[in-house]
Amino acid sequence: EKTIVDYWATKWPADLRIDDGSVAEELDKLNASGFAEALKRRDEFHGVVSFSHFVPRLEVNPEKRYLIPSSLAKAVGSLHLKKRVEELKPDVHIFGHTHFGYDMDVDGIRYLQAALGTPAERTWGGSIVTLGDFPQERRPCLVWSGAWSMRHRS
């Protein structure tokens, strides 16, 4: 944990701890406002795209052998986030945090991370996923459209 910035660079109220899940639970409460309404209105829309900074499920976390530090998996997501995404059932969930690119379908949800990484990471290759010309061309890329459902794959 000493090598993971999320642990030592953040300060939480005394009753919250990052290692027991209480921080994740408290942050999840911020999503409670409006979530019931979003669930109720889900079917009114042709498509739903959701976002999170953190990794929404283990399947889209890099394997331990690729992680520096190897304990990174302890600091990338939460079961609360996974549950919210599974309940909402978006067409696409875009996430970040690990600096590893992913484009994967799990249980009918497309999980996408088109990571730019840090400038240093970009010098040795940056993202491990490409979407058309992204990330080589630094411009936005289309990840979902009701009129365009084909997906670029790496």
Side-chain angles (χ1 to χ4, degrees):
E1 283 92 19
K2 292 178 183 174
T3 59
I4 299 174
V5 174
D6 299 54
Y7 283 101
W8 57 263
T10 54
K11 303 291 182 228
W12 302 101
D15 59 331
L16 298 178
R17 294 174 40 126
I18 203 162
D19 61 353
D20 70 358
S22 59
V23 168
E25 184 175 359
E26 197 64 29
L27 291 174
D28 181 64
K29 289 177 185 176
L30 298 173
N31 291 314
S33 173
F35 191 71
E37 179 72 14
L39 287 177
K40 201 170 18 173
R41 298 189 61 202
R42 165 69 175 92
D43 293 333
E44 293 178 27
F45 300 95
H46 179 69
V48 173
V49 178
S50 59
F51 301 85
S52 65
H53 174 79
F54 292 100
V55 177
R57 57 186 309 138
L58 269 175
E59 293 90 337
V60 295
N61 189 48
E63 292 180 42
K64 189 175 182 178
R65 64 187 165 142
Y66 296 115
L67 300 178
I68 302 169
S70 60
S71 60
L72 182 67
K74 295 179 181 180
V76 296
S78 78
L79 294 174
H80 304 287
L81 175 57
K82 179 180 188 255
K83 182 179 177 209
R84 289 223 185 255
V85 173
E86 287 175 344
E87 267 188 274
L88 184 60
K89 294 179 183 59
D91 296 281
V92 179
H93 182 82
I94 299 170
F95 65 99
H97 196 61
T98 65
H99 301 209
F100 282 85
Y102 265 88
D103 190 0
M104 178 186 295
D105 284 28
V106 181
D107 298 330
I109 300 171
R110 180 183 183 196
Y111 292 91
L112 178 66
Q113 178 178 196
L116 289 174
T118 65
E121 289 168 331
R122 287 194 291 271
T123 63
W124 56 262
S127 180
I128 59 171
V129 68
T130 57
L131 300 165
D133 294 330
F134 180 85
Q136 292 81 20
E137 292 289 325
R138 301 287 189 241
R139 58 188 171 82
C141 62
L142 180 65
V143 295
W144 187 87
S145 167
W148 182 74
S149 60
M150 290 182 56
R151 298 173 181 177
H152 293 290
R153 294 298 172 143
S154 58

